[in-house]
Amino acid sequence: MVKYIIKKVLGLIPTLIGITLISFFVIHLAPGKPTDVQTSLNPKVSYEAKQRLEKLYGLDKPIHIQYVEWMKRFVKFDFGRSYLDDRPVSEKIVERIPVTILINFSAILLTLVIGIPLGITSAVKRGRLPDKLTTIFVFIGFSTPEFWLALLLMNLFCLNLGWLPVSGIASLDFESFNIIGKVLDVARHLILPIVISTFGSLAIISRYMRTEMVGIMTQDYIRTARAKGLDENSVIYKHALKNALLPIITILGLSVPGLIGGSVIFESIFAIPGMGRLFYDAVMARDYSVIMGMLVLVAVLTLLGNLIADVAYAYVDPRIRVGTEK
């Protein structure tokens, strides 16, 4: 098993290099440059001044030379400095990560707590009212655009009812609150983002869970367990559930990048200073350093998520573990 993990990790290195290469070239081939933000709004900036600025940032060099210089910094875990405020990219990312992790981790936890029991109930009571209601909910979850739901809930709970704040993660008088007041204030600001992030994922998890449970409940070993006189809860939660969790593990592995990467849509709508908003602002400003830092981080987390899913598969399913040892 250890050799299998080492082999998988080594195989991720060329994949990561390929991702950085493609991302770097695509970003630099897109229209616009970081210097445009600093010069286009100032009519007094001459063409010569713009060229000097590009030379200062190294943007006048051939693109392959720029990539090699970026890779030299990257292997030292240096993502460079932002073109907008000259702050280190790593510092800007670390500043935004806590909010994004809090929102997405809460959403994932809420999704699992609700989605797995919902899928199990739908599978066990297949064709009956709970299953039909779950199916309707799943179709609504799949077909509802995230941005539309965010605007709808914002209009209802923030503008019409006034129960929740419209945007941000804290009130203007946040510093005057005590510890409990600060926690409650942040919680009120994050309720809608967490609910919106959970809604679509909940439909996916519950549907996958139902599909797997329906297939497993017809297997021979389930019928054998019932024939031995085991109660239904033992059959479902001790024998069937473990094998039904395999696709859920895959989904959780692929959700790792989103845990850090954030959501551009709801973070922009609710003005949340998270990773998604940082990426959106960087793209609009053509801030190459921040864009590459974010893309590399998401790529690493995606590859790591796949690796975690593979290892978890081997842990849950002994057949996979035996196969890797051959």
Side-chain angles (χ1 to χ4, degrees), residues 67-82:
Y67 176 74
V68 171
E69 292 180 351
W70 180 85
M71 280 297 296
K72 290 179 180 178
R73 295 193 300 269
F74 172 63
V75 296
K76 299 176 183 178
F77 300 100
D78 179 13
F79 292 114
R81 307 182 76 88
S82 171

Side-chain angles (χ1 to χ4, degrees), residues 31 80 236 269 271 320:
I236 294 173
I269 292 176
I320 299 176

Side-chain angles (χ1 to χ4, degrees), residues 22 41 84 87-88 110 117 146 186-187 208 212 239-240 320 323:
I22 295 174
L41 298 179
L84 292 179
R87 292 177 58 196
L110 195 61
E146 192 177 67
V186 172
Y208 270 102
E212 287 298 311
H239 294 274
I320 299 176

